[in-house]
């Protein structure tokens, strides 16, 4: 047969662009014409166009490769810098915070082994007993920010006043943070977390050096620059230490979540542009204080527990850790609240480094943060450790609560 006596072309005398694969019994061969498939049928050879098959195969290969593509927090931050969302110095500050969170995560996981559980023996400025890990975590956070060389002032829950960073060479970013939220849960190995917010210096507040005060000039400058409303935040985030170590961050352009991969020691992007549900059927309040609450708030809670005609009341979920309760609310919807009561007239959560950063995050995710009367981000702090009530979560749920409290 002519087909059997014809001389087959060799790859040596053909240009590579004219060669294409064809398959016979799961074996790939080369054919001299582009995009054809040679198939043996009834003892002969037949060529078939496979343009669509080739595209499908390429798409399948591309999809398969994307499964193994990992985007680290470092790479993500560099892309944000390239896109002009942040500058190089803020990238360094955020990287130093992520390093602090990795160290604290390790300390939390080894707390029982390393004898870091229990009370340290000191009391912080709010009159709360400091846990051993409170003190260690504050030192870790502060050291990482100092070492970055890009922060001018830091303010922590564990410090009486903000601290100016003498080692700062270029940057003057202001970082406020709670190094270990929910520390009362440490001994029971329940979820804890770190919360942070980043500001630029407040140029509108100029220090009057002639003003007589008990504070020295440096401390005055620190306090003036730190006491800014949440509307001025450049970035905010939290790190949750639980079954996974989760780092959630917003730069004012959406909310992104990263999980720490223990194999690589890197935070890996897992959720992009998180959006909180507009409504939810979960509420997180410490109902042990129910009798100390305002009557209007009691009516609201009673409403949530009323099964109604559908016999479906809201579900109560309360961890006792702001980061843990907030993270669940962010993903599932609902509302988290820490109200004022007869013992704590202004609530117990701090505006500057807890309520404002969390409210910034939830608004970027399409939710709402309120003190029951006004937007948290609109409140102008008058002191570093100022406390405010907090109601945060799905927009519809927070607005419903505000109607009860109005």
């Amino acid at each position: 047969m002519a087909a059997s006596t014809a001389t087959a072309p060799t790859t040596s005398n053909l240009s590579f662009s004219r060669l294409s694969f064809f398959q016979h019994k799961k074996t790939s061969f080369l054919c001299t014409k582009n995009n054809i498939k040679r198939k043996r049928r009834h003892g002969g050879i037949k060529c078939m166009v496979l343009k669509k098959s080739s595209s499908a195969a390429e798409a399948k290969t591309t999809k398969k490769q994307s499964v193994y593509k990992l985007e680290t927090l470092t790479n993500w931050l560099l892309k944000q810098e390239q896109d002009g969302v942040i500058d190089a110095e803020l990238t360094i500050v955020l990287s130093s915070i992520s390093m602090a969170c990795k160290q604290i995560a390790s300390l939390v996981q080894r707390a029982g082994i390393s004898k870091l559980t229990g009370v340290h023996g000191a009391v912080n400025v709010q009159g709360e007993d400091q846990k051993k890990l409170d003190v260690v975590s504050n030192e870790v956070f502060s050291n990482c920010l100092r070492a970055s060389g890009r922060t001018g002032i830091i303010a922590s829950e564990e410090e009486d006043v903000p601290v100016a960073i003498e080692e700062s060479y270029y940057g003057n970013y202001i970082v406020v943070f709670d190094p270990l939220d929910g520390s009362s849960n440490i001994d029971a190995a329940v979820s804890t977390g770190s919360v942070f917010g980043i500001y630029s210096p407040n140029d509108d507040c100029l220090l009057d050096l002639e003003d007589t005060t008990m504070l020295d000039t440096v401390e005055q400058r620190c306090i003036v620059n730190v006491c800014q409303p949440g509307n001025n935040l450049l970035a905010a985030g939290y790190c949750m230490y639980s079954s996974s170590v989760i780092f959630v961050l917003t730069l004012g352009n959406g909310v992104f979540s990263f999980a720490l991969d223990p194999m690589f020691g890197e935070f890996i992007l897992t959720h992009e542009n998180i959006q909180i549900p507009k409504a939810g059927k979960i509420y997180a309040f410490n109902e042990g204080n129910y009798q100390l609450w305002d009557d209007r708030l009691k009516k609201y809670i009673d409403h949530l527990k009323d099964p109604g005609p559908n016999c479906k009341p809201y579900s109560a979920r309360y961890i006792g850790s702001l980061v843990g309760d907030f993270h669940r609310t962010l993903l599932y919807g609902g509302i988290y609240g820490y109200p004022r009561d007869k013992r704590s007239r202004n609530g117990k959560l701090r505006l500057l480094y807890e309520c404002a950063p969390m409210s910034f995050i939830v608004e970027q995710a399409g939710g709402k943060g309120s003190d029951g009367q006004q937007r948290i981000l609109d409140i102008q702090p008058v002191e570093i450790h100022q406390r405010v009530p907090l109601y945060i979560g799905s927009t519809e749920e927070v607005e419903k609560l505000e109607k009860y409290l109005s």
Side-chain angles (χ1 to χ4, degrees):
M1 295 175 64
S4 61
T5 58
T7 303
T10 62
T11 58
S12 60
N13 59 9
L14 294 172
S15 64
F16 184 80
S17 63
R18 297 187 62 202
L19 300 179
S20 62
F21 285 101
F22 74 98
Q23 194 173 47
H24 172 61
K25 293 182 179 180
K26 300 183 180 180
T27 304
S28 296
F29 299 92
L30 286 172
C31 187
T32 57
K33 292 184 179 180
N34 288 332
N35 297 329
I36 63 175
K37 180 175 180 181
R38 186 168 289 177
K39 184 175 182 181
R40 194 175 297 275
R41 178 176 294 180
H42 303 301
I45 296 176
K46 183 178 180 180
C47 292
M48 300 172 60
V49 178
L50 61 61
K51 185 175 181 180
K52 290 184 178 180
S53 300
S54 177
S55 300
E58 290 174 2
K60 186 176 181 180
T61 302
T62 303
K63 185 176 181 180
K64 184 176 181 181
Q65 290 175 345
S66 66
V67 174
Y68 300 100
K69 183 180 179 182
L70 299 177
E71 184 164 13
T72 65
L73 174 61
T74 302
N75 290 340
W76 185 84
L77 288 173
L78 290 174
K79 287 182 180 179
Q80 301 303 306
E81 181 185 335
Q82 292 170 357
D83 293 341
V85 178
I86 56 176
D87 59 24
E89 293 173 6
L90 185 52
T91 300
I92 295 173
V93 173
L94 289 166
S95 295
S96 69
I97 290 174
S98 72
M99 176 57 68
C101 291
K102 291 177 187 178
Q103 293 184 45
I104 295 172
S106 178
L107 290 168
V108 169
Q109 290 170 351
R110 294 180 52 82
I113 300 172
S114 303
K115 309 298 183 184
L116 288 175
T117 57
V119 178
H120 179 259
V123 177
N124 65 16
V125 68
Q126 289 91 31
E128 301 166 336
D129 290 330
Q130 287 181 310
K131 299 283 187 176
K132 292 178 183 178
L133 266 179
D134 281 328
V135 177
V136 176
S137 299
N138 182 64
E139 186 174 348
V140 168
F141 232 99
S142 299
N143 288 342
C144 285
L145 290 170
R146 285 190 174 94
S148 74
R150 301 299 189 275
T151 51
I153 300 171
I154 61 175
S156 167
E157 179 191 16
E158 307 302 329
E159 302 286 350
D160 294 351
V161 295
V163 178
I165 307 299
E166 298 176 359
E167 295 90 344
S168 180
Y169 301 111
Y170 303 105
N172 50 9
Y173 285 105
I174 298 166
V175 182
V176 296
F177 59 92
D178 181 352
L180 194 62
D181 170 72
S183 56
S184 60
N185 289 325
I186 292 173
D187 294 358
V190 178
S191 298
T192 55
S194 302
V195 186
F196 64 90
I198 302 176
Y199 295 89
S200 59
N202 191 353
D203 296 329
D204 295 333
C205 295
L206 300 178
L207 182 65
D208 184 3
L209 296 178
E210 297 180 357
D211 183 27
T212 58
T213 178
M214 296 294 291
L215 299 175
D216 61 28
T217 302
V218 174
E219 289 176 331
Q220 289 182 54
R221 178 175 63 84
C222 290
I223 292 175
V224 166
N225 280 285
V226 167
C227 285
Q228 301 185 48
N231 282 324
N232 292 0
L233 279 164
L234 300 176
Y238 62 84
C239 188
M240 182 176 69
Y241 314 114
S242 185
S243 57
S244 296
V245 180
I246 307 296
F247 189 88
V248 176
L249 175 65
T250 180
L251 304 175
N253 61 346
V255 180
F256 299 81
S257 179
F258 304 79
L260 182 62
D261 188 333
M263 183 180 296
F264 305 117
E266 291 278 359
F267 282 109
I268 307 298
L269 179 64
T270 55
H271 296 80
E272 299 184 64
N273 294 311
I274 297 173
Q275 289 292 301
I276 186 172
K278 295 298 182 182
K281 299 290 288 185
I282 299 175
Y283 71 99
F285 285 72
N286 182 1
E287 291 192 76
N289 294 326
Y290 179 88
Q291 295 299 330
L292 302 176
W293 291 341
D294 183 272
D295 289 339
R296 293 170 296 177
L297 181 59
K298 290 180 181 180
K299 289 181 180 178
Y300 169 74
I301 296 297
D302 292 341
H303 162 73
L304 299 184
K305 295 190 290 186
D306 183 0
N310 295 325
C311 297
K312 291 184 178 179
Y314 279 61
S315 297
R317 300 285 186 272
Y318 187 74
I319 299 172
S321 166
L322 171 62
V323 172
D325 282 311
F326 176 81
H327 188 69
R328 183 196 57 250
T329 303
L330 180 66
L331 298 181
Y332 299 162
I335 185 170
Y336 168 86
Y338 206 116
R340 59 168 52 94
D341 58 39
K342 294 179 180 178
R343 292 180 303 181
S344 304
R345 294 295 181 181
N346 295 315
K348 294 195 69 175
L349 297 178
R350 269 67 57 151
L351 170 63
L352 195 63
Y353 40 80
E354 290 177 329
C355 300
M358 290 304 202
S359 296
F360 187 50
I361 294 169
V362 82
E363 288 198 7
Q364 287 296 312
K368 187 172 184 179
S370 170
D371 69 348
Q373 305 295 330
Q374 62 178 324
R375 182 169 170 256
I376 289 289
L377 298 182
D378 290 336
I379 302 176
Q380 171 67 51
V382 295
E383 58 184 65
I384 301 301
H385 302 290
Q386 179 178 342
R387 300 174 189 262
V388 294
L390 177 66
Y391 306 100
I392 193 167
S394 300
T395 301
E396 292 182 12
E397 303 303 331
V398 175
E399 290 179 349
K400 183 190 298 183
L401 176 136
E402 288 179 326
K403 290 179 181 178
Y404 272 86
L405 298 183
S406 62

